[in-house]
Amino acid sequence: MMRKPKAGLPSRQQILDFIATSDIPAGKREIARAFGLTAQEKIGLKALLKDMSDEGLIDSAPGRAFHKMGGLPKVTVLRVVDVDDGGNIWATPEKWEAETPPPRVRVRERRRGEIGVGTRVLARTEEAGSGWIAHPMKALAPAAEQMIGVLRGEGDRLWLQGVEKKERREYAVSDAGGAQPGDLVLAERAGRPPRITARVVERLGDPFAPRSFSLIAIHRHEIPHVFNQETLDEAARVARQPLGDGREDLTHLPIVAIDPADARDHDDAIWAAPDDDPGNPDGWRAVVAIADVSFYVRAGSALDREARRRGNSVYFPDRVVPMLPEVLSADVCSLKEDEDRAAMACHLQITKNGALKSWRFTRAVVRIASNIAYEDAQAAIDGDAGTAALPEHLRAALHNLWGCWSALAQARDKREPLGLDLPERQVALDEKGRLLSVAPRERLDAHRLVEDYMIAANVAAAKALEAKKAPVMYRVHEPPTRAKLAALKDYLETFDIPFALGQVIKPATFNSILERVGDADFRPQVMEQVLRTQTQAYYGPGNHGHFGLSLGSYAHFTSPIRRYADLLVHRALTSSYGLGPGGLNGDEDFERLGETISKLERRAMEAERETIDRYVAAFLAERVGEIVDARITGVQNFGFFATVEGVGGDGLMPVSDLGGEYFRYDEAAMRLVGETSGDEYVLGQRLKLRLADSNPVSGALRFELPEGKGARPARRGEREARAPRVLKRRGRPGNIRHQGRRK
């Protein structure tokens, strides 16, 4: 039964008003002081506050302060989840136990650029109109106290082993939360060294079950993988809207989409034919049709906020975490065979030498003639008998695409982009998600063909926006830094390959190095070193060119289903060329957006790479103890890293296991040299190693020499002496002068 306030006690409404207007967190002491309550009345206040909490009127915050139910404490921890086009920063409470969705709080930044997506802040909050505003008090350390791990039992105790390769320590488990040994869990670390313990907050399941490897990456990198109901409802609503009037009808063209056989979404499709324009003799006309995502995902909408928060889709062997809900990404926006779809069409006029003569952009309706796998398209061009049943109009469409591509390839060869064709690993799974094989993905002309059409459309998009002086989200790849070029020079000299630092560095400069190396055994290691010399590409509104592609203007336009950058380019084209609804809203901060989506892209790449490593480790687990063909992929003073040829994976061979002699570290040549034997372990070297361990949960491998570990174990006092010495290269390989230990 509800208690009635005693005489002298404030009413429920008075307490609510005081909590709402108080400049400080309002606990029981502050309420009692504000209303001048006696010691006896404070007892009644305690009961009244409990009643109000039970009735859902108020809630308590850390520090025993109260706030209105459904509202926020005066001081609380927020996590930044979005920075909108106008530069407004939005956050949500780090902890929220109410059944209603957590409120979005606008954060007032004291200095521009100090708060970004993912930042945790302790903030003072206030209600403003129908929303909330937060004033940051201080930035907090990242939530690194959480970790993913596997429980291990030892007697009556449980231990947590982290899933990261670098995590060597196990933590005693203070609270297992019902999880059992062998379970994959999300846990919180607490305490201070050396007494740090782990508390399980969520059981994730069997770490070796199908789909668990990607789940580990999703949780470890905090990748949003569940859409809220508001976003799903909006996606369902916009998916039902008609395509709209005024679209160019391209349904008569046999446009084809060439994708991986297991593609989950289809952003792009292409068509080409000989150009009948007398002003373009022997030239070509082409259409690159891209899903018209900006028509469905409008700036400022719930869909837009969620797409920006994700930044891109994340692709794993067993699943995709899409940027957009599946009703859009895998259905309405996906360019499917024999379905009318809304598209942004890039019309290209291409000369016989592959130069872009002209371009224009329209909103169109397309009907894809066929969704063709790369392998099938290649087989049709190669005249494989198995493709004889392909309809004649599709065979003709493919031959025209290849004819136009021959012109585009000429232009590509002329500009000489960076020619690093590094192998990509392909993980094959069965229908239940179980691992079948890991092998290099075959690289076909069909892959190169699609890439060159996409590059042409991306160039056209950038130049079209520049012509209108419209904002552009460029894809920027800057030239290598001088420091990296100097390191490459030192490295190449160990192979007697000259490299002048004073020359103008172009992609062709690196291509000539690879041509000089030819098919030598050390070609892979030189190629990897050239790759490490390159800078990391990023997104931004400033045009600094794309060094790797040897292009002056380049913007991603061709994948708006899976990249937010492309969606921005579509909106910019829509606005600047008056193509209808779905353009920019005018408040976009491209500088800040570029920084955000670049970070999210790197997060996705790391998650995808780690997951592949885990699948590779699972594939190799059955070969532990075997001698494998390996190649050295990295050399450090503590040992070298190696990969299994043809499969991949990355494992450490510690220097302490190389034998009883000292090994010196030649930093410039990236090798370890035995002081007595002269044995060398060099970047790129092929050798036989024993696979000593393969851990699918962490993705880590460990190697041994074929005959086992070193000739003798390190004796007491030798640990420091066995540390490799740093060498500075002087002269040719073999003529190495010891320069003392690293300081």
Side-chain angles (χ1 to χ4, degrees):
M1 180 179 295
M2 185 185 301
R3 301 185 185 94
K4 293 182 65 176
K6 294 183 179 180
L9 286 180
S11 68
R12 286 169 168 76
Q13 188 59 51
Q14 287 174 320
I15 291 175
L16 290 174
D17 290 343
F18 173 73
I19 291 173
T21 58
S22 175
D23 292 332
I24 60 174
K28 186 180 71 170
R29 179 183 302 174
E30 288 73 25
I31 296 172
R33 184 182 297 123
F35 290 98
L37 302 184
T38 65
Q40 187 63 33
E41 288 170 338
K42 290 178 183 178
I43 298 174
L45 175 65
K46 180 179 180 180
L48 175 58
L49 292 172
K50 183 180 185 306
D51 280 348
M52 294 178 68
S53 178
D54 292 341
E55 294 162 18
L57 294 175
I58 59 173
D59 197 1
S60 59
R64 299 189 177 181
F66 293 95
H67 59 88
K68 186 173 66 174
M69 182 64 75
L72 286 172
K74 290 291 183 182
V75 176
T76 190
V77 176
L78 303 172
R79 184 186 293 270
V80 177
V81 296
D82 187 23
V83 180
D84 67 21
D85 298 334
N88 296 312
I89 300 169
W90 298 93
T92 57
E94 185 167 61
K95 293 186 178 180
W96 185 258
E97 298 179 356
E99 295 182 0
T100 56
R104 282 170 59 88
V105 186
R106 187 160 66 87
V107 180
R108 285 186 172 170
E109 195 176 27
R110 287 178 293 186
R111 289 189 299 274
R112 178 181 170 85
E114 68 179 356
I115 296 177
V117 173
T119 302
R120 299 169 67 239
V121 294
L122 180 67
R124 182 168 52 83
T125 66
E126 62 174 314
E127 201 166 5
S130 59
W132 293 84
I133 292 176
H135 304 272
M137 299 165 65
K138 68 175 180 178
L140 302 177
E145 68 274 5
Q146 285 198 337
M147 66 180 291
I148 305 263
V150 177
L151 294 184
R152 179 180 67 82
E154 185 179 281
D156 59 351
R157 301 189 67 182
L158 284 175
W159 297 84
L160 180 70
Q161 172 63 56
V163 300
E164 297 187 49
K165 292 180 182 180
K166 296 180 180 179
E167 186 63 70
R168 299 282 188 260
R169 180 176 175 181
E170 290 188 335
Y171 299 88
V173 177
S174 59
D175 180 1
Q180 301 297 317
D183 282 347
L184 179 69
V185 298
L186 177 65
E188 289 182 347
R189 286 177 290 195
R192 295 183 177 181
R195 297 187 177 182
I196 299 179
T197 61
R199 182 180 69 86
V200 174
V201 296
E202 184 179 356
R203 179 184 178 274
L204 302 178
D206 180 358
F208 301 102
R211 299 171 63 85
S212 283
F213 297 147
S214 56
L215 187 64
I216 291 172
I218 289 168
H219 279 271
R220 197 179 90 73
H221 291 278
E222 298 183 338
I223 295 173
H225 64 291
V226 177
F227 290 100
N228 61 42
Q229 195 59 48
E230 180 187 12
T231 302
L232 292 173
D233 290 344
E234 185 172 280
R237 177 176 57 78
V238 301
R240 294 191 296 268
Q241 68 186 12
L243 299 184
D245 299 327
R247 289 185 177 272
E248 182 182 17
D249 188 353
L250 299 179
T251 56
H252 62 288
L253 295 180
I255 303 176
V256 298
I258 305 176
D259 291 294
D262 59 351
R264 282 108 161 174
D265 48 54
H266 306 277
D267 286 278
D268 55 83
I270 48 181
W271 169 88
D275 193 358
D276 55 6
D277 182 356
N280 187 30
D282 299 321
W284 296 85
R285 290 181 297 130
V287 172
V288 179
I290 306 299
D292 190 3
V293 176
S294 64
F295 178 70
Y296 296 97
V297 182
R298 305 293 174 87
S301 65
L303 279 167
D304 180 50
R305 291 195 300 270
E306 185 65 18
R308 186 193 300 113
R309 186 167 77 99
R310 296 179 177 223
N312 45 252
S313 298
V314 188
Y315 292 86
F316 301 108
D318 63 329
R319 74 175 86 196
V320 59
V321 179
M323 185 179 77
L324 301 171
E326 288 194 8
V327 67
L328 297 178
S329 62
D331 188 9
V332 173
C333 290
S334 191
L335 302 182
K336 293 184 174 182
E337 183 175 329
D338 293 333
E339 298 280 353
D340 285 358
R341 288 290 186 260
M344 183 77 77
C346 173
H347 296 259
L348 299 172
Q349 190 175 36
I350 300 166
T351 70
K352 64 179 180 179
N353 297 321
L356 296 185
K357 184 177 176 65
S358 67
W359 51 81
R360 64 184 178 91
F361 290 85
T362 65
R363 271 188 154 149
V365 180
V366 298
R367 186 177 302 144
I368 304 306
S370 182
N371 291 108
I372 305 178
Y374 284 113
E375 294 79 6
D376 294 338
Q378 188 67 56
I381 292 300
D382 293 342
D384 192 322
T387 63
L390 201 67
E392 182 57 35
H393 72 286
L394 289 180
R395 297 176 69 86
L398 289 175
H399 277 91
N400 278 338
L401 284 173
W402 252 261
C404 180
W405 177 54
S406 66
L408 291 172
Q410 286 184 56
R412 182 196 62 220
D413 293 343
K414 183 178 180 180
R415 72 173 192 270
E416 294 187 273
L418 191 60
L420 292 177
D421 207 356
L422 297 170
E424 179 185 353
R425 289 172 293 175
Q426 182 175 18
V427 174
L429 307 175
D430 66 13
E431 67 280 358
K432 294 184 178 180
R434 293 172 300 197
L435 180 61
L436 294 176
S437 66
V438 179
R441 188 185 296 272
E442 186 179 10
R443 180 78 168 157
L444 304 171
D445 280 348
H447 292 98
R448 299 180 179 90
L449 172 140
V450 173
E451 287 175 4
D452 282 338
Y453 278 101
M454 298 304 110
I455 289 171
N458 289 337
V459 169
K463 289 185 176 297
L465 290 173
E466 289 171 351
K468 290 286 188 177
K469 295 182 170 52
V472 186
M473 184 60 78
Y474 289 101
R475 179 62 167 177
V476 180
H477 182 224
E478 297 189 47
T481 64
R482 183 172 179 82
K484 288 190 173 184
L485 292 172
L488 178 65
K489 172 182 169 64
D490 286 344
Y491 178 71
L492 292 175
E493 284 184 2
T494 65
F495 297 101
D496 287 336
I497 300 175
F499 183 73
L501 290 179
Q503 64 182 309
V504 176
I505 301 298
K506 300 179 180 179
T509 308
F510 299 110
N511 294 341
S512 64
I513 293 172
L514 298 176
E515 289 173 7
R516 179 165 183 167
V517 171
D519 295 326
D521 288 342
F522 55 86
R523 179 182 177 86
Q525 68 200 76
V526 174
M527 191 177 297
E528 286 179 7
Q529 188 59 25
V530 169
L531 177 64
R532 292 172 182 174
T533 303
Q534 307 307 309
T535 60
Q536 190 167 39
Y538 63 92
Y539 293 104
N543 186 14
H544 303 288
H546 197 293
F547 177 82
L549 294 175
S550 194
L551 292 168
S553 296
Y554 193 68
H556 276 165
F557 159 78
T558 54
S559 295
I561 288 178
R562 62 185 180 91
R563 291 189 305 228
Y564 193 77
D566 303 53
L567 179 55
L568 289 172
V569 170
H570 277 235
R571 288 176 179 163
L573 287 166
T574 298
S575 295
S576 56
Y577 283 89
L579 300 180
L584 298 172
N585 61 16
D587 295 328
E588 291 86 354
D589 184 342
F590 270 41
E591 187 73 42
R592 188 189 291 269
L593 283 171
E595 293 173 1
T596 298
I597 58 181
S598 295
K599 291 178 182 177
L600 295 176
E601 178 192 42
R602 289 191 286 273
R603 178 182 71 176
M605 291 171 61
E606 290 174 9
E608 292 168 354
R609 183 174 60 249
E610 289 175 7
T611 302
I612 294 290
D613 284 345
R614 291 187 175 96
Y615 273 106
V616 168
F619 181 69
L620 291 172
E622 296 181 358
R623 299 182 62 184
V624 169
E626 294 183 14
I627 306 298
V628 297
D629 292 318
R631 182 168 56 84
I632 296 177
T633 57
V635 181
Q636 295 293 330
N637 61 348
F638 51 81
F640 63 78
F641 293 91
T643 186
V644 178
E645 288 278 69
V647 177
D650 198 34
L652 175 65
M653 179 74 199
V655 71
S656 57
D657 291 349
L658 294 179
E661 66 176 317
Y662 299 122
F663 274 79
R664 302 178 182 179
Y665 176 40
D666 182 346
E667 192 171 18
M670 299 185 186
R671 63 181 171 184
L672 293 166
V673 184
E675 192 172 63
T676 303
S677 66
D679 289 346
E680 294 185 351
Y681 296 97
V682 187
L683 182 69
Q685 178 182 344
R686 291 183 171 89
L687 70 170
K688 300 281 188 181
L689 294 174
R690 185 186 304 278
L691 182 61
D693 188 31
S694 182
N695 187 339
V697 176
S698 67
L701 309 178
R702 186 169 59 81
F703 295 106
E704 293 176 351
L705 295 177
E707 60 273 16
K709 292 191 177 184
R712 63 175 175 81
R715 299 192 181 109
R716 181 173 297 183
E718 288 187 338
R719 184 183 303 273
E720 190 66 28
R722 288 175 62 108
R725 306 174 190 178
V726 176
L727 299 168
K728 298 298 183 182
R729 189 204 55 76
R730 292 290 186 275
R732 298 172 55 183
N735 183 21
I736 302 172
R737 189 177 305 161
H738 179 230
Q739 297 295 317
R741 297 181 187 273
R742 182 188 298 241
K743 300 296 184 183

